[in-house]
Amino acid sequence: MDIRQMRYFLEIANEGQITRAAKKLNMEQPPLSRQLKLMEEELGVTLFDRSGKGLRLTPAGELLRKKADGLLLQFHETLREVKELDAGVRGKLSIGAVMSCISLLPPKIKVFSERYPQVTFSIQEGDHFLLAEQLEKQNIDLILTRLPFEAVSETQPYEVIKLPSDPFVAVLPRSWVNRQVNYPADGEVGELADDPIQGEAGRPADDRIHGEVGRPADDRIQGEAGRPTDDRIQGEAGKPADDRIHGKAGRPADDRIHGEAGRPTHDPIHGEASAHEKEHRADRDPVRGQQHGALLPEAVDVRQLAAYPFLTLKTDKTVGMHEQLLQQFRQFGEEPRILCECSSVAIIVALVAAGIGATILPKSVMASFAFPDIVAVPISGPGFESKVGIVWLKNRYLPTSAQQFIDTFLEG
């Protein structure tokens, strides 16, 4: 029996029918049937039970299938290793990555491509279980993933290298940033506090232009209702007033944002740094995003997050990040109000952008989502970090290109 016949046998075993196997092998059915008969005659055993509608492996066939799988893999790995010995780092590098790790790949691929321009890439995205299946079939060389890796194989042990941890951030609708939360007593449901923009919850505040609800106020531009007053912009009729922005005519005033001309003022929200400085500093932070005139908090804590409707990343199989976050909440005596369990990061981010709920995601994830309606804020307190790693098959040949690619991560 040669390698070609073993490949024929495995295809028939996988398909359970000679007709389908012949189609996959791009050959006619009669020659494939003859090859199967020759194998059985050579070995002196029956490899398939032909009594039913399809073909079922006999105990001898099961044993051959198990051994043939390993032999074929070793054969292909040996060919690849021999070719690489003289060729150097070249060929195709096949990478698997979970969605939450995709944003970690571009900078590493850029560095790697500059060093090894002869290497091309194939990238597949999926959950732990799909990627583990592709790894065992050798359709991919390695997996970039969140740890712990949830797809445990009984037959194929994994090698794992841990990478630097990725801090979690709170991801909130931008419209919620300046809203405060009345924290509930035990057993009560939290509610939004008086909104500094709208006044008490559900009721418009005293309008600074029109006064209390339903009644015109002394108009700050025109004076009392129906009677012109000294204009705050122009001053008394026909004479410019002290301009609240620029001060007296021809001389800059103390700026309410920046203080006296050329000197930052004290920021009543964030302390000594000016509002202008805070805004621009936040703009430079890719996590916190653009401000659009709103100042973001330096951090939020678990107690605040527990009061929001919460969106979580969870499927029937992958629950690792979900369980990790629940555990962190419970360490602080909190239980998040889970509004929706989502199967992908993209779904969660879209729901946050729509103002439906808040979530917690690894900081690096936000590099892939430039939504103007969401903000990402650091979380105060220890323990909110996501572990990241690279996984490959322990007892399989790891191509030189894959080894060198791993090294780009270890360089920092």
Side-chain angles (χ1 to χ4, degrees):
M1 180 183 293
D2 57 25
I3 292 293
R4 177 176 54 89
Q5 287 177 314
M6 274 196 287
R7 192 162 63 91
Y8 291 167
F9 165 74
L10 286 174
E11 201 62 59
I12 295 171
N14 290 336
E15 295 297 327
Q17 190 182 80
I18 292 180
T19 303
R20 286 200 299 266
K23 186 176 293 186
K24 291 287 286 291
L25 293 166
N26 295 315
M27 61 186 299
E28 298 295 328
Q29 179 179 341
L32 184 57
S33 297
R34 283 197 297 272
Q35 288 296 327
L36 177 57
K37 186 176 180 180
L38 288 172
M39 282 187 277
E40 290 180 323
E41 290 176 353
E42 180 182 349
L43 295 171
V45 296
T46 301
L47 297 173
F48 291 95
D49 180 358
R50 298 168 173 80
S51 60
K53 291 183 179 180
L55 299 178
R56 291 180 300 171
L57 288 168
T58 62
E62 289 284 4
L63 178 60
L64 179 60
R65 181 182 189 175
K66 182 179 179 180
K67 297 294 184 180
D69 268 327
L71 288 171
L72 276 180
L73 286 173
Q74 283 186 334
F75 175 73
H76 291 303
E77 286 173 359
T78 302
L79 291 179
R80 188 172 183 178
E81 188 172 358
V82 169
K83 289 177 181 178
E84 285 186 350
L85 190 62
D86 288 333
V89 183
R90 59 191 309 144
K92 180 184 288 185
L93 174 58
S94 297
I95 303 168
V98 296
M99 179 62 198
S100 62
C101 287
I102 291 292
S103 60
L104 301 175
L105 284 174
K108 301 303 180 182
I109 289 177
K110 185 176 186 298
V111 170
F112 186 86
S113 294
E114 290 172 354
R115 293 178 184 173
Y116 308 107
Q118 299 300 317
V119 176
T120 60
F121 295 87
S122 170
I123 301 174
Q124 295 187 37
E125 183 266 327
D127 62 23
H128 291 189
F129 295 89
L130 174 62
L131 294 176
E133 181 182 346
Q134 294 300 305
L135 188 64
E136 292 184 15
K137 290 180 178 179
Q138 289 200 310
N139 292 331
I140 56 178
D141 298 310
L142 53 84
I143 301 171
L144 180 62
T145 182
R146 300 286 166 180
L147 299 178
F149 191 59
E150 297 181 60
V152 179
S153 173
E154 297 179 358
T155 58
Q156 298 292 342
Y158 300 123
E159 193 78 47
V160 180
I161 284 185
K162 294 181 180 179
L163 302 177
S165 296
D166 191 4
F168 281 111
V169 293
V171 184
L172 310 169
R174 184 174 295 278
S175 59
W176 292 9
V177 168
N178 291 327
R179 298 168 78 181
Q180 302 173 8
V181 174
N182 286 329
Y183 296 117
D186 290 343
E188 296 181 357
V189 177
E191 60 180 12
L192 291 174
D194 292 355
D195 190 319
I197 303 300
Q198 296 294 331
E200 297 179 8
R203 186 169 68 84
D206 293 349
D207 191 323
R208 293 299 176 265
I209 302 299
H210 295 94
E212 296 178 8
V213 180
R215 185 169 67 84
D218 293 348
D219 193 324
R220 296 300 180 265
I221 304 299
Q222 297 296 329
E224 294 179 10
R227 185 167 65 85
T229 188
D230 292 349
D231 193 326
R232 292 299 180 265
I233 302 300
Q234 296 296 327
E236 295 177 11
K239 183 166 68 124
D242 292 349
D243 190 330
R244 291 298 178 265
I245 302 300
H246 295 94
K248 294 180 179 180
R251 185 168 66 86
D254 291 351
D255 190 329
R256 292 299 177 264
I257 301 299
H258 296 94
E260 295 179 11
R263 186 167 64 85
T265 189
H266 173 76
D267 188 336
I269 304 297
H270 293 91
E272 294 297 328
S274 70
H276 179 76
E277 180 184 351
K278 286 283 183 178
E279 180 175 348
H280 282 268
R281 186 174 68 190
D283 279 342
R284 290 193 297 269
D285 188 339
V287 175
R288 302 182 71 200
Q290 296 180 353
Q291 300 304 294
H292 297 286
L295 292 170
L296 298 183
E298 290 295 325
V300 295
D301 61 32
V302 174
R303 192 162 177 259
Q304 288 172 291
L305 295 175
Y308 293 130
F310 196 73
L311 311 172
T312 183
L313 186 64
K314 182 184 178 185
T315 68
D316 292 339
K317 293 182 178 180
T318 53
V319 298
M321 189 179 296
H322 170 82
E323 294 295 338
Q324 181 185 358
L325 295 179
L326 287 186
Q327 184 178 5
Q328 290 293 339
F329 274 102
R330 290 164 183 166
Q331 284 182 0
F332 291 91
E334 299 289 350
E335 194 74 24
R337 296 190 293 119
I338 297 176
L339 175 65
C340 185
E341 295 175 353
C342 306
S343 63
S344 78
V345 173
I347 295 173
I348 287 184
V349 173
L351 293 177
V352 174
I356 292 172
T359 192
I360 295 174
L361 291 172
K363 178 179 177 179
S364 63
V365 172
M366 302 313 298
S368 300
F369 297 95
F371 281 71
D373 298 324
I374 64 175
V375 292
V377 183
I379 301 171
S380 59
F384 272 93
E385 290 186 333
S386 173
K387 293 180 174 59
V388 184
I390 297 176
V391 176
W392 68 93
L393 293 176
K394 189 172 186 178
N395 298 324
R396 297 277 181 83
Y397 171 68
L398 189 65
T400 304
S401 57
Q403 296 175 37
Q404 298 298 328
F405 188 69
I406 293 171
D407 287 344
T408 64
F409 279 91
L410 300 180
E411 290 167 3

